[in-house]
Amino acid sequence: MGLGLALLSAVAFGGSGVAAKPLIEAGLDPLHVVWLRVAGAALVMLPLAVRHRALLRRRPGLLAGFGLLAVAGVQACYFAALSRIPVGVALLIEYLAPALVLGWVRFVQKRPVTRAAAVGVVLAVGGLACVVEVWSGLGFDVLGLLLALGAACCQVGYFVLSDQGSDAGDEAPDPLGVIAHGLLVGAAVLTVVARPWTMDWSVLRGTASMDGRPVAALVLLAWIVLVATVVAYITGVLSVRRLSPQVAGVVACLEAVIATVLAWVLLGEHLSAPQIAGGVIVLVGAFIAQSSTPAKGSGQPVASGGPKRQLSGRGTSA
């Protein structure tokens, strides 16, 4: 179940680009698309925020951290990095997050890490380098690289904060409440950064071109808000609760692969042989990382945090 949720989250997050790109080409600023995405999702989740308003008193630090890091921080740092370095380089650095999560678990939490998790991270990052064809955009911009690294660190915050309280039983903060309040915090921060009052709102009343096919801008926006944000965050946080930050992080590398494949199918952006090979390597890395899953709290090295569950009778657990 945990692996299935992580895959669904990767598919949902990966579908954001193919919907956002036509809106950007139609005249919206990238930061405005991000603001519409987060603010729209916050509005959808507002009833849940009201329902779980007690979290504001019980876990204010968790909610603020999730909103600042997992929502606003990743988006702002990534788009700022894109203004200075190529997309492929920025993506590769951002998805160093799984390796950073392993470092957090090993050196900050003082918990051992399985060899499977480490090998999975190495394979996933190597495969991702092929998917984004990082060699075609190599350049050295110190500030751009630091911003991309900031996005990676914020993504680490997403995985670590998503796991908070997963061992607390009935006292654990409700994940839907955490997501709802985090989106509200993120929307508030991004409002200052994106300045939506300068946006060309008329673009949303028209159509955008998806590989030559006209699509209503509001339909694309609805996909970005409901699927690529609401569904993506819910399934992502729930997967971390069932797996662990480090395993969910490796599986999340599939987001870039899925985004590339969807761009090929829906936007006509063809894949090269190295990209296809890289996608296969990322899949192998994700499978290896989740192949050994001792229960939380055990003395065994950590590759995943959830209780052992059999998958398809093959003896692997997730």
Side-chain angles (χ1 to χ4, degrees):
M1 179 64 75
L3 182 60
L5 288 169
L7 290 172
L8 180 57
S9 179
V11 171
F13 273 126
S16 63
V18 294
K21 186 171 182 178
L23 291 176
I24 293 171
E25 292 177 343
L28 286 181
D29 185 271
L31 273 180
H32 289 158
V33 175
V34 172
W35 179 84
L36 286 168
R37 172 185 185 179
V38 175
L43 186 61
V44 171
M45 299 287 284
L46 184 58
L48 286 171
V50 174
R51 179 180 178 183
H52 297 286
R53 57 188 178 276
L55 284 174
L56 290 170
R57 173 177 47 82
R58 292 173 46 212
R59 305 297 295 271
L62 173 61
L63 302 183
F66 194 88
L68 290 173
L69 296 177
V71 179
V74 173
Q75 305 287 349
C77 288
Y78 177 68
F79 276 95
L82 289 185
S83 68
R84 306 186 67 91
I85 60 177
V87 174
V89 178
L91 263 179
L92 181 63
I93 295 175
E94 180 184 353
Y95 279 92
L96 291 177
L100 298 178
V101 169
L102 283 183
W104 175 273
V105 170
R106 181 66 183 87
F107 299 109
V108 178
Q109 295 184 336
K110 306 296 185 182
R111 300 168 65 191
V113 176
T114 63
R115 183 175 299 176
V119 171
V121 166
V122 172
L123 287 175
V125 172
L128 185 61
C130 296
V131 171
V132 301
E133 294 187 328
V134 66
W135 53 83
S136 66
L138 289 177
F140 189 74
D141 185 299
V142 175
L143 182 56
L145 294 176
L146 288 176
L147 287 167
L149 185 59
C153 292
C154 289
Q155 195 173 60
V156 171
Y158 162 71
F159 291 114
V160 172
L161 292 173
S162 296
D163 193 47
Q164 291 298 303
S166 56
D167 287 330
D170 293 339
E171 297 298 321
D174 188 281
L176 296 182
V178 173
I179 296 169
H181 286 287
L183 287 169
L184 287 172
V185 173
V189 173
L190 288 172
T191 297
V192 177
V193 176
R195 299 186 297 167
W197 51 87
T198 64
M199 181 170 52
D200 183 5
W201 292 89
S202 64
V203 173
L204 298 178
R205 297 195 297 268
T207 61
S209 176
M210 180 174 282
D211 195 23
R213 299 181 298 271
V215 180
L218 286 177
V219 171
L220 295 174
L221 180 60
W223 175 273
I224 293 173
V225 169
L226 298 177
V227 177
T229 308
V230 174
V231 172
Y233 271 102
I234 290 175
T235 54
V237 170
L238 292 178
S239 73
V240 175
R241 295 281 182 100
R242 287 179 173 268
L243 296 171
S244 72
Q246 56 270 34
V247 173
V250 177
V251 178
C253 286
L254 292 173
E255 177 189 334
V257 179
I258 292 165
T260 304
V261 172
L262 289 176
W264 178 25
V265 175
L266 298 177
L267 301 180
E269 298 180 359
H270 297 289
L271 295 176
S272 64
Q275 286 179 305
I276 295 173
V280 173
I281 294 172
V282 173
L283 284 170
V284 172
F287 173 78
I288 291 175
Q290 67 86 40
S291 63
S292 175
T293 56
K296 281 185 177 179
S298 70
Q300 302 177 51
V302 176
S304 173
K308 288 188 176 181
R309 301 175 188 272
Q310 298 301 313
L311 288 180
S312 306
R314 298 184 181 184
T316 57
S317 50

